[in-house]
Amino acid sequence: MATFSLSSSLKQKFVIVSFLFYILTSLHSPVNACFTSIFSFGDSITDTGNLLAIARSESRQLPPSAFPPNGRTYFHHPAGRRCDGRLIIDFLAEALGFPFLPPYYGSKNGRSEQFETGANFAVAGAHALNSSFLSGNIIPSRSTNISLAVQVNSFKDLLSSFCSSSSDCKEILMTSLIVMGEIGGNDYNHAFREGINIKEIRELVPLVVDIIISSINELVELGAVTFLVPGNFPIGCSPSLLTQFQGSDKDEYDPLTGCLTWLNQFSEYHNELLQKELEKLRTRHPDVNIVYADYYNPTIRFYHSPNRLGFEETLKACCGSGGPYRFNASISCGYPQLDPCCNDPSSYVSWDGIHYTEATYKLVASAVFEELLNSIPCLNMGEGIPS
Ligand SMILES: *[C@@H]1O[C@H](CO)[C@@H](O)[C@H](O)[C@H]1NC(C)=O
Ligand SMILES: *[C@@H]1O[C@H](CO)[C@@H](O)[C@H](O)[C@H]1NC(C)=O
Ligand SMILES: *[C@@H]1O[C@H](CO)[C@@H](O)[C@H](O)[C@H]1NC(C)=O
């Protein structure tokens, strides 16, 4: 299965889907008869402005996403995202004919109409596990206490402003796409940063997966029937963790990619467990469509054959400072830094050492979109495309 050189027919297919994806993301018109709303949950991989809005509303120090060069490629100004441009959730929203998902938190007036076609509950820094559990385990919430359970509760609050009876609410959720994640990355990254050993961090994985599964179950009870559930990225290739574990034994690095093998195996462990539990959920709820979004395999391809996909730099952050990976944990991209940002973010896989460039997100989103097309019958391409 794990062949990283695309066979020619696969490559052709990839080109066709990418093209289709390109067309769809440029159309900005509804191309599906499936969904009337999208609701998403997660962390900074998916945050389209929540942490920024929260910080503004509480007059706290603004997060890095408030400052350039974040946003420079697509929005041409900081847009609340830890990226030079659009995130995977932005590309998926565009491809499905939706506007970018508005961040739920921090909006002063709390008008619910603005969320009728969707809302984003993902907050940068969010954990899957709740803060009382994590502080018991000495893993601090650095930027937010809005864990996944808090996000799901906020969603329920919002839903109750749209519908008054449970059957009304079910009707709304029948045509909603729920994007559950990526979440859990921070539980692990923050634990690694605290120097907790891998054996103990592995013990968090079933707990994280449990929270994801129970959140899906809660939404199924409310009537949601379509879920997209992303796994984790190959964190062994991330400049932040490569910097932290710099100088590891030579045989701990994959000679082909320069990534740390044991950290990538950790991501795979999370992803395998998540998929196993999703399979059980499918058996339990045969009428619910649960699509796993593979972030790992599309991304690992960039490290195996970067040039083929237009990348020149895989292990250095585009927006970062110092060291072999251009990453320094005490200087976040957006805060004043030592080194200038790279000239061409689209030739870098990593944006700031933790998050990815728009170019990376676009390719991953394209693979995820193909997965959606294959798994959701009513997204059948004959249907929504304007002729
Ligand atoms: C926090 O999470 C732990 C472990 O999942 C759970 O036992 C506990 O009840 C949760 N606490 C709150 C306040 O939600
Ligand atoms: C998170 O919760 C803890 C405990 O309630 C609190 O001390 C801390 O200030 C909170 N952090 C943030 C960023 O809200
Ligand atoms: C990271 O940046 C801080 C603050 O500028 C500096 O003191 C430190 O030496 C840097 N660390 C590395 C590894 O370059």
Side-chain angles (χ1 to χ4, degrees), residues 35 39 41 152 155 173 176-181 212-230 278 281-282 285 287-293 372 375-376:
F35 304 122
F39 298 100
F41 302 85
V152 169
F155 172 70
L173 286 181
S176 297
L177 171 65
I178 308 289
V179 183
M180 181 55 73
I212 297 171
I213 297 296
S214 61
S215 302
I216 296 172
N217 263 324
E218 259 185 85
L219 299 182
V220 168
E221 295 301 315
L222 296 173
V225 294
T226 313
F227 292 84
L228 182 68
V229 188
L278 291 178
L281 263 188
R282 291 184 190 108
H285 305 292
D287 299 333
V288 175
N289 204 340
I290 301 170
V291 182
Y292 172 70
L372 274 179
S375 318
I376 298 182

mmCIF file of all heavy atoms in Angstrom, residues 35 39 41 152 155 173 176-181 212-230 278 281-282 285 287-293 372 375-376:
data_model
loop_
_atom_site.group_PDB
_atom_site.id
_atom_site.type_symbol
_atom_site.label_atom_id
_atom_site.label_comp_id
_atom_site.label_asym_id
_atom_site.label_seq_id
_atom_site.Cartn_x
_atom_site.Cartn_y
_atom_site.Cartn_z
ATOM 1 N N PHE A 35 -25.075 19.341 0.976
ATOM 2 C CA PHE A 35 -24.896 20.033 2.250
ATOM 3 C C PHE A 35 -25.443 21.459 2.202
ATOM 4 O O PHE A 35 -25.302 22.156 1.204
ATOM 5 C CB PHE A 35 -23.410 20.101 2.605
ATOM 6 C CG PHE A 35 -22.765 18.750 2.649
ATOM 7 C CD1 PHE A 35 -21.679 18.461 1.830
ATOM 8 C CD2 PHE A 35 -23.243 17.757 3.496
ATOM 9 C CE1 PHE A 35 -21.087 17.206 1.857
ATOM 10 C CE2 PHE A 35 -22.654 16.502 3.539
ATOM 11 C CZ PHE A 35 -21.568 16.232 2.714
ATOM 12 N N PHE A 39 -19.807 22.448 9.699
ATOM 13 C CA PHE A 39 -19.350 22.820 11.044
ATOM 14 C C PHE A 39 -18.047 22.097 11.324
ATOM 15 O O PHE A 39 -17.947 20.899 11.085
ATOM 16 C CB PHE A 39 -20.410 22.460 12.091
ATOM 17 C CG PHE A 39 -21.704 23.193 11.879
ATOM 18 C CD1 PHE A 39 -22.783 22.565 11.259
ATOM 19 C CD2 PHE A 39 -21.836 24.518 12.265
ATOM 20 C CE1 PHE A 39 -23.976 23.242 11.036
ATOM 21 C CE2 PHE A 39 -23.028 25.209 12.054
ATOM 22 C CZ PHE A 39 -24.095 24.579 11.432
ATOM 23 N N PHE A 41 -14.416 21.481 13.853
ATOM 24 C CA PHE A 41 -13.845 21.464 15.204
ATOM 25 C C PHE A 41 -12.362 21.163 15.086
ATOM 26 O O PHE A 41 -11.951 20.454 14.171
ATOM 27 C CB PHE A 41 -14.532 20.360 16.028
ATOM 28 C CG PHE A 41 -16.020 20.524 16.112
ATOM 29 C CD1 PHE A 41 -16.853 20.021 15.096
ATOM 30 C CD2 PHE A 41 -16.596 21.208 17.162
ATOM 31 C CE1 PHE A 41 -18.234 20.195 15.148
ATOM 32 C CE2 PHE A 41 -17.975 21.386 17.228
ATOM 33 C CZ PHE A 41 -18.788 20.886 16.217
ATOM 34 N N VAL A 152 -17.699 21.311 21.313
ATOM 35 C CA VAL A 152 -18.950 20.601 21.016
ATOM 36 C C VAL A 152 -20.106 21.226 21.792
ATOM 37 O O VAL A 152 -21.219 21.385 21.262
ATOM 38 C CB VAL A 152 -18.800 19.083 21.310
ATOM 39 C CG1 VAL A 152 -20.147 18.378 21.272
ATOM 40 C CG2 VAL A 152 -17.836 18.442 20.305
ATOM 41 N N PHE A 155 -21.166 24.283 20.037
ATOM 42 C CA PHE A 155 -21.968 23.922 18.860
ATOM 43 C C PHE A 155 -23.419 23.668 19.260
ATOM 44 O O PHE A 155 -24.353 24.106 18.590
ATOM 45 C CB PHE A 155 -21.377 22.693 18.173
ATOM 46 C CG PHE A 155 -22.247 22.162 17.072
ATOM 47 C CD1 PHE A 155 -22.398 22.868 15.899
ATOM 48 C CD2 PHE A 155 -22.944 20.977 17.234
ATOM 49 C CE1 PHE A 155 -23.227 22.402 14.883
ATOM 50 C CE2 PHE A 155 -23.768 20.495 16.224
ATOM 51 C CZ PHE A 155 -23.907 21.216 15.050
ATOM 52 N N LEU A 173 -29.245 19.094 10.825
ATOM 53 C CA LEU A 173 -28.008 18.306 10.830
ATOM 54 C C LEU A 173 -27.962 17.249 9.727
ATOM 55 O O LEU A 173 -26.895 16.778 9.348
ATOM 56 C CB LEU A 173 -27.806 17.663 12.203
ATOM 57 C CG LEU A 173 -27.360 18.643 13.287
ATOM 58 C CD1 LEU A 173 -27.162 17.941 14.616
ATOM 59 C CD2 LEU A 173 -26.066 19.347 12.890
ATOM 60 N N SER A 176 -25.834 18.686 7.132
ATOM 61 C CA SER A 176 -24.596 19.333 7.571
ATOM 62 C C SER A 176 -23.421 18.392 7.374
ATOM 63 O O SER A 176 -23.542 17.188 7.581
ATOM 64 C CB SER A 176 -24.673 19.674 9.068
ATOM 65 O OG SER A 176 -25.702 20.590 9.317
ATOM 66 N N LEU A 177 -22.307 18.980 6.977
ATOM 67 C CA LEU A 177 -21.047 18.232 6.980
ATOM 68 C C LEU A 177 -20.311 18.618 8.261
ATOM 69 O O LEU A 177 -20.099 19.801 8.528
ATOM 70 C CB LEU A 177 -20.198 18.593 5.753
ATOM 71 C CG LEU A 177 -18.770 18.043 5.734
ATOM 72 C CD1 LEU A 177 -18.760 16.519 5.657
ATOM 73 C CD2 LEU A 177 -17.975 18.629 4.557
ATOM 74 N N ILE A 178 -19.939 17.612 9.043
ATOM 75 C CA ILE A 178 -19.193 17.869 10.280
ATOM 76 C C ILE A 178 -17.731 17.499 10.037
ATOM 77 O O ILE A 178 -17.432 16.361 9.668
ATOM 78 C CB ILE A 178 -19.726 17.009 11.446
ATOM 79 C CG1 ILE A 178 -21.240 17.149 11.622
ATOM 80 C CG2 ILE A 178 -18.958 17.330 12.737
ATOM 81 C CD1 ILE A 178 -21.718 18.454 12.156
ATOM 82 N N VAL A 179 -16.837 18.458 10.232
ATOM 83 C CA VAL A 179 -15.408 18.167 10.090
ATOM 84 C C VAL A 179 -14.817 18.106 11.499
ATOM 85 O O VAL A 179 -14.701 19.126 12.182
ATOM 86 C CB VAL A 179 -14.698 19.230 9.225
ATOM 87 C CG1 VAL A 179 -13.229 18.869 9.034
ATOM 88 C CG2 VAL A 179 -15.387 19.359 7.863
ATOM 89 N N MET A 180 -14.491 16.887 11.931
ATOM 90 C CA MET A 180 -14.097 16.654 13.326
ATOM 91 C C MET A 180 -12.573 16.495 13.424
ATOM 92 O O MET A 180 -12.045 15.404 13.443
ATOM 93 C CB MET A 180 -14.836 15.397 13.814
ATOM 94 C CG MET A 180 -14.587 15.004 15.247
ATOM 95 S SD MET A 180 -14.934 16.313 16.432
ATOM 96 C CE MET A 180 -16.746 16.330 16.408
ATOM 97 N N GLY A 181 -11.870 17.631 13.450
ATOM 98 C CA GLY A 181 -10.418 17.557 13.569
ATOM 99 C C GLY A 181 -9.753 18.297 12.429
ATOM 100 O O GLY A 181 -10.455 18.975 11.673
ATOM 101 N N ILE A 212 -12.511 11.981 20.603
ATOM 102 C CA ILE A 212 -12.972 12.234 19.239
ATOM 103 C C ILE A 212 -14.209 11.379 18.949
ATOM 104 O O ILE A 212 -15.227 11.871 18.454
ATOM 105 C CB ILE A 212 -11.848 11.938 18.211
ATOM 106 C CG1 ILE A 212 -10.662 12.885 18.445
ATOM 107 C CG2 ILE A 212 -12.370 12.045 16.773
ATOM 108 C CD1 ILE A 212 -9.408 12.557 17.630
ATOM 109 N N ILE A 213 -14.116 10.106 19.327
ATOM 110 C CA ILE A 213 -15.232 9.182 19.071
ATOM 111 C C ILE A 213 -16.466 9.602 19.870
ATOM 112 O O ILE A 213 -17.588 9.624 19.347
ATOM 113 C CB ILE A 213 -14.831 7.725 19.431
ATOM 114 C CG1 ILE A 213 -13.664 7.261 18.533
ATOM 115 C CG2 ILE A 213 -16.027 6.774 19.338
ATOM 116 C CD1 ILE A 213 -13.960 7.168 17.069
ATOM 117 N N SER A 214 -16.284 9.986 21.127
ATOM 118 C CA SER A 214 -17.475 10.333 21.912
ATOM 119 C C SER A 214 -18.078 11.649 21.429
ATOM 120 O O SER A 214 -19.295 11.839 21.491
ATOM 121 C CB SER A 214 -17.196 10.334 23.418
ATOM 122 O OG SER A 214 -16.224 11.289 23.726
ATOM 123 N N SER A 215 -17.240 12.545 20.893
ATOM 124 C CA SER A 215 -17.788 13.775 20.315
ATOM 125 C C SER A 215 -18.632 13.467 19.083
ATOM 126 O O SER A 215 -19.704 14.047 18.889
ATOM 127 C CB SER A 215 -16.659 14.738 19.921
ATOM 128 O OG SER A 215 -15.877 15.043 21.041
ATOM 129 N N ILE A 216 -18.132 12.544 18.254
ATOM 130 C CA ILE A 216 -18.917 12.149 17.070
ATOM 131 C C ILE A 216 -20.233 11.528 17.519
ATOM 132 O O ILE A 216 -21.310 11.853 17.007
ATOM 133 C CB ILE A 216 -18.119 11.166 16.184
ATOM 134 C CG1 ILE A 216 -16.869 11.851 15.623
ATOM 135 C CG2 ILE A 216 -18.985 10.606 15.056
ATOM 136 C CD1 ILE A 216 -15.912 10.918 14.898
ATOM 137 N N ASN A 217 -20.151 10.645 18.512
ATOM 138 C CA ASN A 217 -21.373 10.007 19.027
ATOM 139 C C ASN A 217 -22.396 11.024 19.501
ATOM 140 O O ASN A 217 -23.589 10.882 19.231
ATOM 141 C CB ASN A 217 -21.014 9.076 20.181
ATOM 142 C CG ASN A 217 -20.876 7.641 19.707
ATOM 143 O OD1 ASN A 217 -21.619 7.201 18.828
ATOM 144 N ND2 ASN A 217 -19.921 6.929 20.264
ATOM 145 N N GLU A 218 -21.917 12.044 20.197
ATOM 146 C CA GLU A 218 -22.835 13.067 20.688
ATOM 147 C C GLU A 218 -23.557 13.755 19.536
ATOM 148 O O GLU A 218 -24.758 14.023 19.606
ATOM 149 C CB GLU A 218 -22.048 14.144 21.456
ATOM 150 C CG GLU A 218 -22.126 14.016 22.951
ATOM 151 C CD GLU A 218 -21.435 15.191 23.628
ATOM 152 O OE1 GLU A 218 -22.069 16.235 23.807
ATOM 153 O OE2 GLU A 218 -20.227 15.041 23.954
ATOM 154 N N LEU A 219 -22.789 14.048 18.476
ATOM 155 C CA LEU A 219 -23.400 14.736 17.334
ATOM 156 C C LEU A 219 -24.320 13.800 16.547
ATOM 157 O O LEU A 219 -25.322 14.238 15.983
ATOM 158 C CB LEU A 219 -22.318 15.349 16.436
ATOM 159 C CG LEU A 219 -21.426 16.397 17.115
ATOM 160 C CD1 LEU A 219 -20.419 16.986 16.141
ATOM 161 C CD2 LEU A 219 -22.261 17.522 17.724
ATOM 162 N N VAL A 220 -23.991 12.511 16.529
ATOM 163 C CA VAL A 220 -24.890 11.536 15.891
ATOM 164 C C VAL A 220 -26.219 11.506 16.635
ATOM 165 O O VAL A 220 -27.294 11.489 16.016
ATOM 166 C CB VAL A 220 -24.240 10.128 15.853
ATOM 167 C CG1 VAL A 220 -25.268 9.062 15.475
ATOM 168 C CG2 VAL A 220 -23.061 10.095 14.883
ATOM 169 N N GLU A 221 -26.145 11.532 17.968
ATOM 170 C CA GLU A 221 -27.381 11.567 18.767
ATOM 171 C C GLU A 221 -28.247 12.758 18.383
ATOM 172 O O GLU A 221 -29.466 12.683 18.379
ATOM 173 C CB GLU A 221 -27.061 11.687 20.267
ATOM 174 C CG GLU A 221 -26.335 10.481 20.871
ATOM 175 C CD GLU A 221 -27.136 9.215 20.720
ATOM 176 O OE1 GLU A 221 -28.352 9.272 20.983
ATOM 177 O OE2 GLU A 221 -26.549 8.187 20.311
ATOM 178 N N LEU A 222 -27.604 13.888 18.071
ATOM 179 C CA LEU A 222 -28.358 15.088 17.705
ATOM 180 C C LEU A 222 -28.906 15.024 16.288
ATOM 181 O O LEU A 222 -29.749 15.840 15.914
ATOM 182 C CB LEU A 222 -27.474 16.331 17.843
ATOM 183 C CG LEU A 222 -26.982 16.690 19.250
ATOM 184 C CD1 LEU A 222 -25.979 17.831 19.187
ATOM 185 C CD2 LEU A 222 -28.169 17.079 20.133
ATOM 186 N N GLY A 223 -28.362 14.095 15.483
ATOM 187 C CA GLY A 223 -28.888 13.932 14.135
ATOM 188 C C GLY A 223 -27.894 14.121 13.004
ATOM 189 O O GLY A 223 -28.264 14.062 11.837
ATOM 190 N N ALA A 224 -26.618 14.358 13.322
ATOM 191 C CA ALA A 224 -25.621 14.513 12.251
ATOM 192 C C ALA A 224 -25.391 13.172 11.564
ATOM 193 O O ALA A 224 -25.355 12.130 12.228
ATOM 194 C CB ALA A 224 -24.308 15.044 12.820
ATOM 195 N N VAL A 225 -25.277 13.211 10.241
ATOM 196 C CA VAL A 225 -25.127 11.954 9.498
ATOM 197 C C VAL A 225 -23.907 11.921 8.582
ATOM 198 O O VAL A 225 -23.635 10.895 7.971
ATOM 199 C CB VAL A 225 -26.390 11.623 8.653
ATOM 200 C CG1 VAL A 225 -27.585 11.350 9.557
ATOM 201 C CG2 VAL A 225 -26.704 12.738 7.666
ATOM 202 N N THR A 226 -23.175 13.027 8.474
ATOM 203 C CA THR A 226 -21.987 13.012 7.606
ATOM 204 C C THR A 226 -20.799 13.646 8.330
ATOM 205 O O THR A 226 -20.853 14.815 8.732
ATOM 206 C CB THR A 226 -22.235 13.795 6.300
ATOM 207 O OG1 THR A 226 -23.491 13.406 5.753
ATOM 208 C CG2 THR A 226 -21.136 13.488 5.288
ATOM 209 N N PHE A 227 -19.756 12.846 8.473
ATOM 210 C CA PHE A 227 -18.552 13.295 9.187
ATOM 211 C C PHE A 227 -17.315 13.118 8.330
ATOM 212 O O PHE A 227 -17.164 12.102 7.651
ATOM 213 C CB PHE A 227 -18.352 12.467 10.470
ATOM 214 C CG PHE A 227 -19.390 12.708 11.523
ATOM 215 C CD1 PHE A 227 -20.601 12.018 11.481
ATOM 216 C CD2 PHE A 227 -19.176 13.614 12.544
ATOM 217 C CE1 PHE A 227 -21.572 12.228 12.440
ATOM 218 C CE2 PHE A 227 -20.143 13.836 13.508
ATOM 219 C CZ PHE A 227 -21.349 13.141 13.458
ATOM 220 N N LEU A 228 -16.449 14.105 8.407
ATOM 221 C CA LEU A 228 -15.100 13.978 7.854
ATOM 222 C C LEU A 228 -14.163 14.047 9.065
ATOM 223 O O LEU A 228 -14.186 15.028 9.808
ATOM 224 C CB LEU A 228 -14.824 15.125 6.883
ATOM 225 C CG LEU A 228 -13.463 15.089 6.187
ATOM 226 C CD1 LEU A 228 -13.380 13.913 5.227
ATOM 227 C CD2 LEU A 228 -13.206 16.394 5.430
ATOM 228 N N VAL A 229 -13.363 13.001 9.245
ATOM 229 C CA VAL A 229 -12.547 12.922 10.460
ATOM 230 C C VAL A 229 -11.063 12.803 10.093
ATOM 231 O O VAL A 229 -10.593 11.727 9.729
ATOM 232 C CB VAL A 229 -12.972 11.722 11.334
ATOM 233 C CG1 VAL A 229 -12.250 11.770 12.685
ATOM 234 C CG2 VAL A 229 -14.472 11.682 11.525
ATOM 235 N N PRO A 230 -10.318 13.920 10.161
ATOM 236 C CA PRO A 230 -8.911 13.889 9.787
ATOM 237 C C PRO A 230 -8.036 13.215 10.838
ATOM 238 O O PRO A 230 -8.298 13.301 12.036
ATOM 239 C CB PRO A 230 -8.537 15.373 9.686
ATOM 240 C CG PRO A 230 -9.828 16.113 9.572
ATOM 241 C CD PRO A 230 -10.807 15.292 10.365
ATOM 242 N N LEU A 278 -13.148 4.349 14.256
ATOM 243 C CA LEU A 278 -14.141 4.855 13.300
ATOM 244 C C LEU A 278 -14.874 3.675 12.652
ATOM 245 O O LEU A 278 -16.086 3.738 12.407
ATOM 246 C CB LEU A 278 -13.479 5.723 12.225
ATOM 247 C CG LEU A 278 -12.928 7.080 12.680
ATOM 248 C CD1 LEU A 278 -12.252 7.810 11.518
ATOM 249 C CD2 LEU A 278 -14.030 7.959 13.287
ATOM 250 N N LEU A 281 -17.501 2.575 14.878
ATOM 251 C CA LEU A 281 -18.621 3.525 14.841
ATOM 252 C C LEU A 281 -19.518 3.282 13.632
ATOM 253 O O LEU A 281 -20.739 3.383 13.718
ATOM 254 C CB LEU A 281 -18.093 4.963 14.745
ATOM 255 C CG LEU A 281 -17.950 5.809 15.991
ATOM 256 C CD1 LEU A 281 -17.604 7.236 15.590
ATOM 257 C CD2 LEU A 281 -19.233 5.797 16.814
ATOM 258 N N ARG A 282 -18.869 2.964 12.494
ATOM 259 C CA ARG A 282 -19.652 2.717 11.266
ATOM 260 C C ARG A 282 -20.560 1.512 11.446
ATOM 261 O O ARG A 282 -21.701 1.498 10.968
ATOM 262 C CB ARG A 282 -18.711 2.487 10.072
ATOM 263 C CG ARG A 282 -17.958 3.728 9.644
ATOM 264 C CD ARG A 282 -17.111 3.470 8.387
ATOM 265 N NE ARG A 282 -16.228 4.595 8.141
ATOM 266 C CZ ARG A 282 -14.906 4.577 8.320
ATOM 267 N NH1 ARG A 282 -14.289 3.455 8.708
ATOM 268 N NH2 ARG A 282 -14.184 5.653 8.112
ATOM 269 N N HIS A 285 -23.361 2.639 13.711
ATOM 270 C CA HIS A 285 -24.307 3.581 13.079
ATOM 271 C C HIS A 285 -24.252 3.402 11.563
ATOM 272 O O HIS A 285 -23.668 4.230 10.858
ATOM 273 C CB HIS A 285 -23.929 5.029 13.405
ATOM 274 C CG HIS A 285 -23.802 5.344 14.855
ATOM 275 N ND1 HIS A 285 -24.865 5.358 15.719
ATOM 276 C CD2 HIS A 285 -22.721 5.673 15.614
ATOM 277 C CE1 HIS A 285 -24.455 5.677 16.946
ATOM 278 N NE2 HIS A 285 -23.159 5.867 16.895
ATOM 279 N N ASP A 287 -26.191 4.021 9.273
ATOM 280 C CA ASP A 287 -26.777 5.079 8.446
ATOM 281 C C ASP A 287 -25.963 6.358 8.454
ATOM 282 O O ASP A 287 -26.335 7.351 7.829
ATOM 283 C CB ASP A 287 -28.196 5.410 8.929
ATOM 284 C CG ASP A 287 -29.100 4.204 8.830
ATOM 285 O OD1 ASP A 287 -28.828 3.341 7.958
ATOM 286 O OD2 ASP A 287 -30.046 4.101 9.630
ATOM 287 N N VAL A 288 -24.875 6.351 9.197
ATOM 288 C CA VAL A 288 -24.046 7.551 9.288
ATOM 289 C C VAL A 288 -22.818 7.370 8.395
ATOM 290 O O VAL A 288 -22.213 6.305 8.371
ATOM 291 C CB VAL A 288 -23.623 7.808 10.756
ATOM 292 C CG1 VAL A 288 -22.665 8.986 10.854
ATOM 293 C CG2 VAL A 288 -24.865 8.046 11.620
ATOM 294 N N ASN A 289 -22.515 8.419 7.641
ATOM 295 C CA ASN A 289 -21.371 8.352 6.728
ATOM 296 C C ASN A 289 -20.151 8.972 7.405
ATOM 297 O O ASN A 289 -20.132 10.179 7.657
ATOM 298 C CB ASN A 289 -21.737 9.109 5.447
ATOM 299 C CG ASN A 289 -20.922 8.646 4.265
ATOM 300 O OD1 ASN A 289 -19.855 8.042 4.437
ATOM 301 N ND2 ASN A 289 -21.419 8.915 3.076
ATOM 302 N N ILE A 290 -19.175 8.134 7.707
ATOM 303 C CA ILE A 290 -17.983 8.625 8.414
ATOM 304 C C ILE A 290 -16.772 8.438 7.511
ATOM 305 O O ILE A 290 -16.366 7.311 7.230
ATOM 306 C CB ILE A 290 -17.782 7.865 9.744
ATOM 307 C CG1 ILE A 290 -19.008 8.054 10.639
ATOM 308 C CG2 ILE A 290 -16.505 8.346 10.445
ATOM 309 C CD1 ILE A 290 -19.021 7.170 11.871
ATOM 310 N N VAL A 291 -16.225 9.548 7.040
ATOM 311 C CA VAL A 291 -15.104 9.496 6.102
ATOM 312 C C VAL A 291 -13.827 9.866 6.852
ATOM 313 O O VAL A 291 -13.766 10.928 7.489
ATOM 314 C CB VAL A 291 -15.321 10.479 4.933
ATOM 315 C CG1 VAL A 291 -14.181 10.377 3.930
ATOM 316 C CG2 VAL A 291 -16.666 10.234 4.270
ATOM 317 N N TYR A 292 -12.847 9.006 6.782
ATOM 318 C CA TYR A 292 -11.545 9.326 7.381
ATOM 319 C C TYR A 292 -10.769 10.198 6.400
ATOM 320 O O TYR A 292 -10.662 9.872 5.219
ATOM 321 C CB TYR A 292 -10.784 8.029 7.669
ATOM 322 C CG TYR A 292 -9.354 8.249 8.115
ATOM 323 C CD1 TYR A 292 -9.076 8.808 9.371
ATOM 324 C CD2 TYR A 292 -8.275 7.919 7.297
ATOM 325 C CE1 TYR A 292 -7.780 9.020 9.781
ATOM 326 C CE2 TYR A 292 -6.968 8.124 7.706
ATOM 327 C CZ TYR A 292 -6.728 8.678 8.956
ATOM 328 O OH TYR A 292 -5.439 8.898 9.355
ATOM 329 N N ALA A 293 -10.240 11.318 6.885
ATOM 330 C CA ALA A 293 -9.425 12.185 6.017
ATOM 331 C C ALA A 293 -7.957 11.903 6.322
ATOM 332 O O ALA A 293 -7.483 12.185 7.421
ATOM 333 C CB ALA A 293 -9.752 13.647 6.270
ATOM 334 N N LEU A 372 -13.732 12.467 -0.325
ATOM 335 C CA LEU A 372 -15.141 12.838 -0.144
ATOM 336 C C LEU A 372 -15.980 12.443 -1.360
ATOM 337 O O LEU A 372 -17.061 11.893 -1.230
ATOM 338 C CB LEU A 372 -15.269 14.357 0.068
ATOM 339 C CG LEU A 372 -15.119 14.914 1.474
ATOM 340 C CD1 LEU A 372 -15.258 16.433 1.452
ATOM 341 C CD2 LEU A 372 -16.155 14.317 2.418
ATOM 342 N N SER A 375 -16.717 8.870 -1.362
ATOM 343 C CA SER A 375 -17.428 8.289 -0.217
ATOM 344 C C SER A 375 -18.832 8.835 -0.014
ATOM 345 O O SER A 375 -19.599 8.268 0.748
ATOM 346 C CB SER A 375 -16.650 8.544 1.077
ATOM 347 O OG SER A 375 -15.276 8.339 0.888
ATOM 348 N N ILE A 376 -19.134 9.952 -0.629
ATOM 349 C CA ILE A 376 -20.435 10.564 -0.371
ATOM 350 C C ILE A 376 -21.253 10.536 -1.656
ATOM 351 O O ILE A 376 -20.993 11.298 -2.588
ATOM 352 C CB ILE A 376 -20.261 11.992 0.179
ATOM 353 C CG1 ILE A 376 -19.514 11.882 1.515
ATOM 354 C CG2 ILE A 376 -21.590 12.691 0.351
ATOM 355 C CD1 ILE A 376 -19.279 13.163 2.230
#
